Amino acid sequence: MVFSTWTFAIFFAIFFPIFFVVRGNIPRRNFVILVGSYIFYGWWNPKFVTLLALLAVVDFMAAKGVAGQFISKRDFVVSTLFTAAVTLIAALASKDGGGDLLLYVAIFFVIFIVLAAVTERLQGDNRRKAWLYLSIAANMGVLAFFKYFNFFLDNAFAALHTL
C-alpha cells in the first residue's frame, strides 16, 4: 500500500478513528496497531504477513527469555495458534492460494519450537544469551535471505555458465 494512493487514504480514514477511540486503553490500542500493521503490510503481498508473524512470535518469546521469564506451555500454544491463524488468512488472501506457504511455515515453526525447547533447558545467563542469539539469528537470517539470495543465485548461475 503506497502512501499516495486512494487505498491508503481509505485505510487511514478507517484506522485513525478506531485508534483515536481506543488510545487510552493500552491493550486495545496495541491490538488495533497490530491489526492495522498487518493489513498495511499484507496489502502488498499477503504471504509476507506470515513471515512478519513468525518473527513477532520469535521476538516475543525471546523478549520473555531475555527478561528471565520462563516460556509457558500457554505461550507456545498461543504463539502456534497466532501463527496458524495469520498463515491461514495469508494463504486465503494470496492470489495463488498460498502455494507452499503452509509447508514453509510448518518447517520454520517446528525448527523454532525445537530450538526454543532446548533454550528453555539452559540455566541463568546462558539461557538469556541463547534467547538473544536465537532472536538475532532469526531476524538477521530473514534479512540476509531476502536481501542477498538473488545476488548469490545470480552469481552462482553466472559462474556455472562460464564453466
Side-chain angles (χ1 to χ4, degrees), residues 27-47:
R28 286 186 182 158
R29 181 186 68 193
N30 289 346
F31 180 75
V32 167
I33 291 171
L34 180 73
V35 171
S37 298
Y38 278 48
I39 291 170
F40 180 82
Y41 192 74
W43 204 266
W44 173 58
N45 190 340
K47 289 188 215 178

Side-chain angles (χ1 to χ4, degrees), residues 133-149:
Y133 295 148
L134 181 61
S135 175
I136 291 171
N139 285 282
M140 296 307 288
V142 168
L143 176 66
F145 177 80
F146 281 99
K147 188 165 180 79
Y148 296 112
F149 179 75

Side-chain angles (χ1 to χ4, degrees), residues 35-99:
V35 171
S37 298
Y38 278 48
I39 291 170
F40 180 82
Y41 192 74
W43 204 266
W44 173 58
N45 190 340
K47 289 188 215 178
F48 291 128
V49 173
T50 300
L51 181 64
L52 190 63
L54 286 169
L55 290 176
V57 166
V58 169
D59 291 338
F60 165 74
M61 289 192 182
K64 288 186 84 163
V66 169
Q69 301 173 9
F70 282 95
I71 301 358
S72 66
K73 289 181 183 176
R74 180 181 182 279
D75 290 331
F76 280 110
V77 170
V78 169
S79 296
T80 303
L81 291 175
F82 172 74
T83 305
V86 170
T87 302
L88 183 61
I89 292 168
L92 292 173
S94 65
K95 291 178 178 76
D96 64 355

